[in-house]
Amino acid sequence: MKVAIVLALATVVGAAPAAMAQGPATAPAKPVAAKVRTNQAPKKENLKSFAKISKDSARAIAMGHVAKGSRVKSSELEREKGTVVYSFDIREPHKTGVEEILVSAIDGSIVSQTHETPAQEKAEARKEAQKKP
């Protein structure tokens, strides 16, 4: 009768009947917690896999929206305004600051075009520097 109760209990608990017959039950093993590294940098998203147009095509689109003789100061592929964009900071002749033009990496449309004064450029540079470890 004891064996039948042990077997029934083993089935309910999920232990193997052979293990129950060998001796008294031991406490269930504690789950091992995964180690979490708090100083680990977040994974960078592979934005290139989302881009449908090339950086050169996006650059040509952006340059079509500024004065002739303008030069690209910097560019990058990033996620901004809810989409993946090529961001271009363009210096226009005879103007201070830069024109920031965001070109959709998906369809080539202009997502945003804003003028940044030298003071705004410096503030943005400080903000970007704080983000990077």
Side-chain angles (χ1 to χ4, degrees):
M1 180 74 155
K2 285 183 183 179
V3 174
I5 293 172
V6 170
L7 289 176
L9 184 59
T11 305
V12 171
V13 177
M20 292 299 288
Q22 290 178 358
T26 58
K30 292 182 181 178
V32 178
K35 290 184 179 181
V36 178
R37 295 174 60 189
T38 57
N39 62 350
Q40 188 176 9
K43 255 188 175 178
K44 249 190 153 176
E45 187 177 19
N46 182 11
L47 297 177
K48 286 183 181 179
S49 65
F50 294 105
K52 302 277 191 262
I53 67 168
S54 69
K55 187 174 188 175
D56 289 337
S57 296
R59 179 187 168 115
I61 293 166
M63 294 302 284
H65 286 81
V66 292
K68 288 186 180 184
S70 298
R71 295 182 165 254
V72 175
K73 178 184 169 192
S74 66
S75 63
E76 66 179 315
L77 182 63
E78 62 184 343
R79 184 176 290 280
E80 199 166 309
K81 299 195 184 276
T83 189
V84 178
V85 297
Y86 289 103
S87 173
F88 297 96
D89 285 346
I90 302 173
R91 289 220 184 271
E92 290 188 277
H94 313 295
K95 279 189 176 180
T96 60
V98 295
E99 244 353 84
E100 181 184 51
I101 300 178
L102 304 180
V103 179
S104 170
I106 309 300
D107 62 11
S109 64
I110 299 293
V111 174
S112 171
Q113 181 173 354
T114 56
H115 183 78
E116 292 180 349
T117 65
Q120 289 170 321
E121 278 185 271
K122 287 179 185 176
E124 186 176 332
R126 280 192 301 269
K127 188 177 176 183
E128 288 294 320
Q130 288 175 351
K131 271 196 225 179
K132 295 181 181 177

